[in-house]
Amino acid sequence: MKPKVFATHGLFAPARALLERHFEVDYWAGEPRPPRDELLRRVAGKDALICLLTEKVNDELLDHSPNLRIAATVSVGYDNIDVAACTRRKIVATHTPGVLDDTTADFAFALLMAIARRIVEGDAWMRSGAWPGWNLDQLCGSDVSGKTLGIIGFGRIGRAMAKRAQGFDMRILYTDAMRAAPEVERDLHAEYVDRDRLLAAADFVSVHVPLLPETRRLINASTLKQMKPGAYLINTSRGPVVDEAALVAALDAKQIAGAAFDVFENEPKVHPALVARKDVILTPHIASASVETRTKMALIAVENVIALFDGRRPPNVLNPEVLAAK
Ligand code: GLV
């Protein structure tokens, strides 16, 4: 008998085909995401769970799934998974790092360009039919080339962002809990500074940290005050890294010029004061959403599950101590 998997998404055809070769699969195919009680009901009796970042894998869920051997999230961020709770139960947890770095950095840079050059406002104006024709001072934004980019979080995606900024002759500052190797700094022309210096100097601040207790509301009223007047904030990491109410206050006070966000504190809700603003761009958590990349992410999640049931080490395990204990 094939082991049983609950997948909280229909995945993409190549991942589905691979999964079904090895497992008996129950998919959540509804929209948008499974209600919690449905998720708990369907995961019961399954040997593996493939989930998205919208599903909380915590004690409550694990209590409902005594047979579960692996929880594989189709995301690089894994703040949806209580890894310690999985470890206590000897359940392997995996994620999908590596394949989405370029796609996410492309998008973060696109947001940076779009907010600086007022592309979304321009598009809305054209569609409204109200554009009176060209004039010298219409929708003047801010230059990008030659400006200073401050990258908070210099992991794979932060570094991919730096690579893009090089093409725009930007000065690149970064801060991170760990300083990068000298050759990385040299290759990316990136200068390590502390957060205070970064916030004071950057024309664009782009956030690329995971959501951890220490990064929650990292951008708050006091860090926003430290930003350069006229600077822009870009967030493609996790919503709770930014205090949205403080952001609204900083925009109202014109402490910063604008913000472009792909992630939100209480998804799918957005702070109502952000929605009405022209100095803000809002996108629905799609930074990694290319067909190629999302397909690769789904395949990686499936490969992690297959590896475990084949007796191999899943390539992207978050709690290797579970495997070592076996
Ligand atoms: C998307 O936000 C991810 O973590 O993959």
Side-chain angles (χ1 to χ4, degrees):
M1 227 173 53
K2 288 178 174 175
K4 295 189 175 69
V5 177
F6 181 46
T8 69
H9 189 273
L11 306 176
F12 293 88
R16 210 160 47 229
L18 181 62
L19 188 63
E20 288 169 12
R21 280 213 292 279
H22 294 77
F23 301 100
E24 184 185 315
V25 193
D26 177 20
Y27 295 99
W28 168 257
E31 278 289 338
R33 306 298 317 130
R36 187 73 182 167
D37 54 350
E38 180 76 5
L39 172 64
L40 298 182
R41 196 178 65 71
R42 301 268 283 271
V43 79
K46 300 297 193 299
D47 303 293
L49 170 68
I50 296 180
C51 63
L52 307 190
L53 55 83
T54 37
E55 281 83 62
K56 289 247 166 302
V57 177
N58 54 12
D59 280 316
E60 180 199 35
L61 181 139
L62 299 175
D63 284 346
H64 277 77
S65 48
N67 300 344
L68 206 66
R69 290 184 57 201
I70 180 167
T73 185
V74 189
S75 57
V76 63
Y78 54 89
D79 42 285
N80 56 320
I81 299 194
D82 182 341
V83 178
C86 290
T87 306
R88 280 196 299 278
R89 292 170 164 84
K90 300 197 171 20
I91 294 170
V92 172
T94 64
H95 68 147
T96 63
V99 289
L100 46 71
D101 307 339
D102 286 331
T103 306
T104 303
D106 287 350
F107 194 85
F109 212 85
L111 284 180
L112 185 158
M113 296 287 291
I115 190 68
R117 300 301 311 275
R118 306 180 68 174
I119 289 172
V120 176
E121 277 181 86
D123 179 82
W125 202 12
M126 297 304 292
R127 288 169 199 272
S128 75
W131 182 50
W134 195 85
N135 212 338
L136 191 62
D137 57 353
Q138 284 170 355
L139 290 186
C140 292
S142 159
D143 272 333
V144 172
S145 294
K147 291 288 180 79
T148 298
L149 171 65
I151 300 174
I152 299 185
F154 207 55
R156 288 179 302 262
I157 299 173
R159 291 173 194 202
M161 187 71 175
K163 201 165 160 191
R164 281 143 186 82
Q166 280 184 293
F168 287 80
D169 298 323
M170 296 181 92
R171 177 178 177 217
I172 302 163
L173 306 178
Y174 80 93
T175 193
D176 193 284
M178 265 180 42
R179 186 167 177 173
E183 58 274 20
V184 173
E185 291 186 354
R186 199 178 46 240
D187 287 354
L188 294 172
H189 302 148
E191 191 184 325
Y192 175 77
V193 290
D194 64 26
R195 196 179 65 204
D196 294 351
R197 276 187 58 203
L198 181 144
L199 292 170
D203 300 296
F204 298 91
V205 172
S206 190
V207 185
H208 300 281
V209 292
L211 179 61
L212 300 168
E214 56 275 26
T215 60
R216 196 171 278 275
R217 297 203 163 174
L218 181 78
I219 304 294
N220 53 41
S222 84
T223 43
L224 283 160
K225 267 206 194 82
Q226 289 178 272
M227 284 176 67
K228 195 169 166 179
Y232 296 86
L233 178 66
I234 320 297
N235 188 13
T236 51
S237 63
R238 281 292 182 268
V241 173
V242 178
D243 177 344
E244 284 174 7
L247 172 68
V248 170
L251 290 165
D252 278 344
K254 302 224 175 304
Q255 274 166 29
I256 64 169
F261 276 29
D262 185 49
V263 288
F264 302 92
E265 249 184 317
N266 298 300
E267 292 179 15
K269 294 199 186 101
V270 182
H271 193 296
L274 288 177
V275 175
R277 304 193 69 99
K278 287 194 172 156
D279 50 5
V280 160
I281 293 176
L282 311 169
T283 54
H285 204 147
I286 51 171
S288 66
S290 69
V291 174
E292 299 93 321
T293 290
R294 289 280 168 92
T295 304
K296 281 186 208 152
M297 289 164 69
L299 277 167
I300 287 181
V302 168
E303 279 157 7
N304 277 306
V305 177
I306 292 173
L308 184 77
F309 284 85
D310 270 2
R312 290 179 285 116
R313 180 194 173 95
N316 310 108
V317 62
L318 294 165
N319 50 357
E321 57 275 35
V322 170
L323 298 169
K326 288 197 167 143

